[in-house]
Each structure stands twice: as structure tokens, then as C-alpha cells.
Amino acid sequence: MTTASSAGTGPQPAGLLDGSIATVAGNGVAGFISDGGHGALTRVYYPQGVTVDKNGNLFIADRYNHRIRKVTPNGTITTVAGDGNAGYISDGGPALATRLHYPADVAVDDAGNLYIADTNNHRIRKVTPNGIITTVAGNGEAGYISDGGPAIATRLHYPHALTVDRSGNLYIADHNNHRIRKVTPNGIITTVAGNGEAGYISDGGPAIATRLYYPMGLVVDAEGSLYIADRYNHRVRKVTPNGLITTVAGNGTAGYVSDGGPALGTRLHYPWGLALDEAGSLYIGDGHNHRIRKVTSDGIITTVAGNGTAGYVDDGGPAAGTRLYYPYGIALDRGGNLYIADCNNHRVRGVTAVAQMTPPPPPTADLYGEVISPYRVQRDQEFDLGARIRNRGPNPADGQYVTVVLNLADGLVGGPGTSGRRLTRTFSGQQLLPQQGTLDGTFRVSAPASTPPGTYLSTLEIQYGGDLNLKDNAYTLPVTIVVPDPVADETALTVLQDTVPQVAPGQRTSFNLRYTSPTGQPVNPGTIVQRFTAPTGFVFTGQPTYAYYETIHGVISGNLSHRILDDGRTLLITANPHVNTSTSDTGSVIYTIPLEARTDAVPGRYDNGSASIGRRTPVQLSGVISGTAQDETALRVVQESVPAAAPGQHTTFNLELRSLGNQPVNPGTVGQRITAPTGFAFTGSASYGYYFVTPYVTGNLDAQLEDGGKTLVISSNPHLNTGTTDKTALIYTLGIRALPSATPGTQSDDGRAVIGRLAPVPLSARVL
């Protein structure tokens, strides 16, 4: 966001070349240490919103610390609002003594009042220059009532972004209401964009009659035009002072194409923060592209920070060549320095004189390496080592200009057809296609039986020439070689309950049990009987399964041989819980065991279950009977991406499921009916993924087609936040195709996703 008038010069270090990047807050470690020191030496925790006031003070929405931090121009950091505890107490007292709940953004007006998007409190808070906090919008209840009345008496729904215009009007990205709200200086709230329905209709008409889709960043220019990061529409929209809406950046398709062309013809990927410089150039926090984009007044888009690869590289160099990791909020100071909430790097970065710099010319082809390197392997087992070279640019690349060189560590040898420790591969005669085409630069490698155990460092170099652009072309690839001990028994395993089930009486759920060897040695006990006793109030039911999530082959999974005894109180599994004996069982094996809370179960936590794994000491199993059902009605579902395909072509799209307040939701198996938009039919492919956990947890959905593919019926348990493997969000990836008879250039939004008893969620798709 940006402020009502020109900001002062902020804490960006002096002496750096134009376009250089430096950290001004956060040392890269998530958390909170203390205040009063230099901002770059302390910790921040998923910072999301930033702004600069007229004195050059940088304010940070330190979201997971539930605080607003202030960095002075000399770099000193303090807290100005929030005591670090999530929640809400009251208004009218010192801002430092009250609570915030995941604040997402900040804004400052000309009088020095600080506005806070107190997101999970569904309020906008105001901190006066003397440190007193009050609420200026939202009554604390999630939802939408109406417009035209006092802002403090109405409802907001996870407000995320703020900006203030020169007349003192406060604008709010009312995220889950799919609206932009305006609060006048006398406290009256109205809607200025969005009709409350998620989606995209068209441009050119009244902003209040069109649709937005989880709007985020906001900024107002000198003429009073409002810019909106229409996040799930992958666009930036502009609302003129007379209320008409248009698109100024993004073609509505998620992704990255290239720079140097019209902003309207390129792709954005979940844009978040916005800022404007005095020349009228618009800056966009292109979150999932890990870039900051700049749109000049003539509509041309370029990248000014981030090379598109998520991560962190040292500071001090050109911002356009470094890495960002979900850059969200952005702000400019009077000196033309850009501040970036580099969220997953737990830092706020500054780019020197970004408004004056000339962005580097875009490459003909934009290449990067995706490293393939296993963490741990055994002697005499082959594995892949190297990199896949990918192209995310708009043009093809000629493979003759790309060579991969792998220098093997002493102790590793190449596969058949290779000799020596220097392995090379060229790609003459091959074309690296645009938009995620790949060249395979991996080699088959092994460690002979004579190789001592230890960690071996190989080096990889991707050589390139011609008019190509390749990021991070040199790598060190560590591989740990382990020597199998004599085959061990089950007493060498560490067994722990990975998730604690929590459901209401009568509900079904499951829990995970993790088997691992502490030092990574192979354990192969053979087939053994494993006896499980359910905690009080629970009974076993259904088919238990196993999965290895850490192999180089992807997820290896299957069913477990079992019997259920004693009316469900006892489960016997007969299986071999082997780990680290081959490349297909590396790491841990996770058992997923279904169970059900008895209808007469008494609410409470019970720790009297057990798992007896052969001759191992039994492991305690726990479960929680909740007093109220946490069923699918606590879920919120959005269409994360809009599929686009030409007639007869196939593509995919994502549905994102989250829970209110990140509460645990475990509804058991529920029926889900997904109806395709006009002109489309489902292909039958349906998978799920939990991508906010490490490693990712993925699998296929139980899905069937009906009505000639028009309807996809899914039977699954969309559980969330019940343990370490289902945190934050659940993503469905569904295959869809445009019918041969579909009319090119049309977009329909009459699809529906019905998850159990939830209200239908509209789905849209575009025919190219």
C-alpha cells in the first residue's frame, strides 16, 4: 500500500547502486526476539504489509507476531501496536497493551494516524500519534450486512489491505466479501468495487456491479483512481473517480510469461501488494511469481526485483537477479526506494532508487535449473543426480546452447556408458519449449561397495550461450552414503503418533503413525504382527494404509493387511515396516489408520490407547472427543485458478479448501459434486495435496464421472489442521477439457462445487 502523500526517505542503507537490494528488517529466522536494536538483526514472522510515513518511518504488519513494528530511518525497530498475543481485548487504551490477530496490512494518513487491517478480528484499527488504539471499521463479526451506515457497526470478512487517499478516505480490501469498501472521514462505509460475488465478469462498467475474487493490495493515485490487486483473478484493476473499472495488468491466467511487453497481455500469479511512484508507474507484488513487477505509464511491464525462483540469496547485489520468497506488501519512500515484505524469507527488503533505475532487458528465453539430488542413498544403489533445465519464458530456446557438466565426488561413479568423474550432456537438435518446457540434465549415479559412508559433494554447472538467460547455473550437490548394518529388527525403529484425532461423537477420522530409524540406517524386521488398542471413546474402522513420502520415485503407498477385533477396540496389522533398505522406502513410513468416535463417547482427551509393534515397547496413542462437530460447514472453498483451453484441449484447475480461523476440521467422508462450466467436461483425473507441510502430502481422490463428464462426484474426507500433515489448506487438482463444440473466446461461470452441506461455490472456465 502507499500513503496519502509522499512518504519520507526510509531506512534503506546508503551507498548502494540503484536497483540494489538490502534487508532492513528481519534476519531470516521466524519469530520474535526484542525491540530497540537494528531492524536487520532481529526477527520478524511472515511480514505481509508495509508502508512509509512522511517522516520516513517504515511500518510492518508482522503478521504471525501479532504486532505492528516500526523501523526508523536510522534502522531502529520497535513495536507500536500489539502485545504479541493473538486475540482482541478492547479499544481506547494504549496500542502496545492490546491484542491483534494476524494483522495483514498497515496504512498511514497525513496526520500520522496508523491504520491496521486486524484481519482475524474482522476490524480496522486506528492508532493515533499518541499511541491510543480504537476501531474505525468492523464490529468484530465475520460477514457482510449492508452499506451506508457507521463503519464500526457493520461487518467485515478477513480485511487484508488498506490505503488512504488525500481526502482522508480509507479504502479496505474486504477480502472474503469480494468487495472494496470505503470509509469516509465521518465514519460512513460504502462499497466502491465488487458486488460481493467471487469471480470475473468483464471490464468497462460500474465497479460496484462487477465481480472481484479475493481482492488484496490497494493504492490510490493523485487523480483519485483506485488500483486493486484482484488476486484470484490474477489481474490488477483500476477504478476511476467516476466508478468505472478496467484491467491494467494481467490477462487473467495464472503464471509468468515474460517482460517487456504490454501489461495487459502478460500473466500475473496471485498479485498482492501495490504501490505507485511519482511518475505514475505501478509496482506489483507478484507473489507466486516471486517477483516485483513495474508497469510504466505507457503500459509496459518489467521485473525490478526477484528472478522468479523462490528462496533467498545474499543482499547487496541487483534486486532483479536475486531471489524473493512470496513477496507480498510493497511501499515506496520519497527517495524512490521500494520496500518489500519478503514474507516466507521472514524479512523486509529494500531496493535502492527503484523508481529511477532502468530494469534490465528481458531475456529471449528465461531458464532455470531444478536440482535433482537425493539426501541419503545406500551403496550399490543407483540414483539420479543433476538438474532439469526449465524455460518459463515466452520463446523457445535452442538446446545447442545448453550443456550440463556434473563433476562427481570421489567415491561416486556414473552409470553404464559413462567414464571418469566428469559427466557431460549437450542438447543439440533439441528445442526447449516455452512455458515450462524441460531438458533432462540428470545422470544415473551410484556408490560402489568400496565407498566409505559419509557425505559426498558433487558439483553441477549448466553452461549456456547465445541469447539465453539462466539463473543459478552452478550448484553443490551433497549426497550422504550410508552403509547398511546387518538387518535389524523392529526394536531399532522409532515409532510416534504423528497426528492426534479430534472428532465429535459419531464422526469418522484417521490418525498417522510414523515409523523411522533415528540415524537413517536400514531397518528390515520382516513381517511382524502389530497390535493397536484404540483410546477410550474410539473404535477402529476401515482400511489402514502405508506411504513413503520421501523417496526419489515420489509417494509409494498401499493397503495394509489387517483384522479388527473386540468390536473395534483392537486392530491387528500384519506387515513389514521396513525403512531405508532401497530408494523406494527412504525416510519414514507412515501408517494412516481410520477410526470412529463412538456415538456414546464422552467429550475429553484420552491417552490410553497403545501401539505394540512386535517386540518394541508399546507406544501411547491419544485421541480427543470434541463436544461439537467440526464438519464440512466450517470449510471455505474457492476456485484457485481459472482453467483455459481451446476446444478439444485438456487442462487442470485447482480448488482450495481452508477452515475458518485455521480450526481443525475432520468431517469424515462426505459426498462432493463438482459441475463443469458450460463448454467444459471433466476428464476424471482428480488429486489432492497439502502443500503447506514438508514433505508435501499428495494422493488421488476417489472420483467418478456422471452425465458424460459434466459432473465429477468425489467421495473423500476433506480434513484440515488435525495434525502435522494437513495444515493450512487442502488443494484439489481436477482435470477438465474444453468440448470440441465450445465457442472460442467465451467464459462461463455457471459451474458449481458442492462440498457436503456447504453452499455451492461458483466455478468458471475460459475457452481459448
Side-chain angles (χ1 to χ4, degrees), residues 89-358:
I89 303 176
S90 62
D91 286 310
L96 283 170
T98 195
R99 294 183 178 179
L100 304 174
H101 201 173
Y102 293 118
D105 200 16
V106 282
V108 181
D109 67 16
D110 283 339
N113 296 301
L114 177 70
Y115 297 88
I116 304 167
D118 195 359
T119 301
N120 284 38
N121 277 328
H122 310 289
R123 300 171 184 263
I124 307 300
R125 316 287 287 277
K126 173 183 174 181
V127 181
T128 59
N130 63 354
I132 301 301
I133 193 167
T134 55
T135 293
V136 295
N139 64 6
E141 298 179 11
Y144 174 79
I145 304 175
S146 62
D147 287 309
I152 59 173
T154 195
R155 294 181 181 178
L156 302 175
H157 202 174
Y158 293 116
H160 266 73
L162 304 172
T163 194
V164 183
D165 69 15
R166 295 187 175 184
S167 300
N169 297 299
L170 174 69
Y171 296 86
I172 306 165
D174 197 356
H175 188 257
N176 282 37
N177 278 328
H178 310 290
R179 300 170 183 261
I180 307 301
R181 317 288 286 277
K182 173 183 173 182
V183 181
T184 60
N186 63 355
I188 301 302
I189 192 167
T190 55
T191 293
V192 295
N195 64 5
E197 297 183 17
Y200 175 79
I201 304 175
S202 61
D203 286 311
I208 59 173
T210 195
R211 295 181 181 179
L212 302 175
Y213 204 167
Y214 291 114
M216 291 300 305
L218 301 172
V219 68
V220 180
D221 68 16
E223 285 72 41
S225 293
L226 174 69
Y227 295 81
I228 305 165
D230 195 358
R231 190 166 189 244
Y232 275 62
N233 278 325
H234 309 291
R235 300 170 182 262
V236 176
R237 318 285 287 278
K238 175 182 177 181
V239 181
T240 60
N242 62 354
L244 298 181
I245 193 167
T246 56
T247 294
V248 296
N251 64 7
T253 301
Y256 174 78
V257 180
S258 64
D259 287 308
L264 283 170
T266 195
R267 295 182 181 181
L268 303 174
H269 201 174
Y270 295 121
W272 190 293
L274 300 177
L276 284 164
D277 66 22
E278 293 183 358
S281 294
L282 174 70
Y283 298 82
I284 305 168
D286 196 359
H288 285 229
N289 277 328
H290 310 291
R291 300 170 183 260
I292 305 299
R293 316 288 287 277
K294 176 181 179 179
V295 181
T296 52
S297 57
D298 59 357
I300 301 302
I301 193 167
T302 53
T303 293
V304 295
N307 65 12
T309 301
Y312 174 76
V313 185
D314 288 342
D315 288 318
T322 195
R323 294 183 179 183
L324 303 173
Y325 201 168
Y326 294 122
Y328 287 154
I330 57 177
L332 283 159
D333 68 14
R334 181 174 294 165
N337 303 308
L338 178 74
Y339 298 91
I340 306 165
D342 195 359
C343 185
N344 281 38
N345 275 328
H346 307 292
R347 300 171 185 261
V348 176
R349 320 280 288 278
V351 181
T352 302
V354 71
Q356 289 79 45
M357 67 172 281
T358 300

Side-chain angles (χ1 to χ4, degrees), residues 463-699:
Q463 301 173 351
Y464 59 98
D467 188 16
L468 298 183
N469 181 59
L470 181 63
K471 304 296 191 303
D472 304 317
N473 63 314
Y475 306 87
T476 299
L477 309 182
V479 177
T480 299
I481 305 300
V482 296
V483 179
D485 293 331
V487 174
D489 59 29
E490 65 272 19
T491 59
L493 291 170
T494 294
V495 182
L496 57 91
Q497 186 177 7
D498 221 20
T499 58
V500 175
Q502 180 174 338
V503 290
Q507 285 190 307
R508 293 192 174 191
T509 184
S510 62
F511 71 93
N512 292 340
L513 202 66
R514 182 183 295 269
Y515 297 63
T516 189
S517 56
T519 58
Q521 83 266 25
V523 178
N524 195 345
T527 300
I528 58 174
V529 176
Q530 302 158 63
R531 186 181 187 90
F532 300 84
T533 302
T536 296
F538 289 90
V539 292
F540 294 108
T541 178
Q543 172 67 58
T545 60
Y546 70 89
Y548 297 91
Y549 291 102
E550 303 163 56
T551 79
I552 65 172
H553 310 290
V555 178
I556 307 294
S557 60
N559 293 331
L560 290 164
S561 176
H562 73 289
R563 287 190 298 155
I564 297 176
L565 307 174
D566 305 329
D567 295 324
R569 286 280 296 151
T570 302
L571 170 69
L572 296 182
I573 292 178
T574 304
N576 180 3
H578 56 89
V579 293
N580 299 317
T581 66
S582 70
T583 58
S584 61
D585 70 349
T586 52
S588 306
V589 59
I590 294 178
Y591 284 8
T592 299
I593 300 176
L595 74 172
E596 180 179 350
R598 294 167 54 98
T599 56
D600 58 354
V602 177
R605 180 185 174 100
Y606 299 95
D607 300 311
N608 56 353
S610 65
S612 298
I613 313 301
R615 293 172 291 169
R616 283 195 82 265
T617 302
V619 174
Q620 175 183 290
L621 299 180
S622 301
V624 176
I625 307 294
S626 61
T628 57
Q630 295 163 322
D631 58 28
E632 71 275 15
T633 60
L635 294 172
R636 291 298 176 264
V637 184
V638 296
Q639 185 179 6
E640 191 179 59
S641 57
V642 176
Q649 287 187 338
H650 295 66
T651 186
T652 61
F653 73 97
N654 293 340
L655 287 180
E656 181 185 77
L657 290 76
R658 292 178 180 254
S659 65
L660 291 171
N662 278 331
Q663 64 179 305
V665 175
N666 199 335
T669 301
V670 297
Q672 303 157 60
R673 295 183 67 85
I674 320 293
T675 304
T678 297
F680 286 81
F682 292 105
T683 65
S685 69
S687 61
Y688 69 88
Y690 295 94
Y691 297 107
F692 287 82
V693 299
T694 303
Y696 297 158
V697 176
T698 59

Side-chain angles (χ1 to χ4, degrees), residues 399-425:
Q400 68 174 317
Y401 296 118
V402 182
T403 300
V404 177
V405 179
L406 177 64
N407 292 298
L408 290 175
D410 188 13
L412 303 181
V413 298
T418 64
S419 60
R421 289 168 48 199
R422 180 181 171 87
L423 309 181
T424 65
R425 180 171 300 162

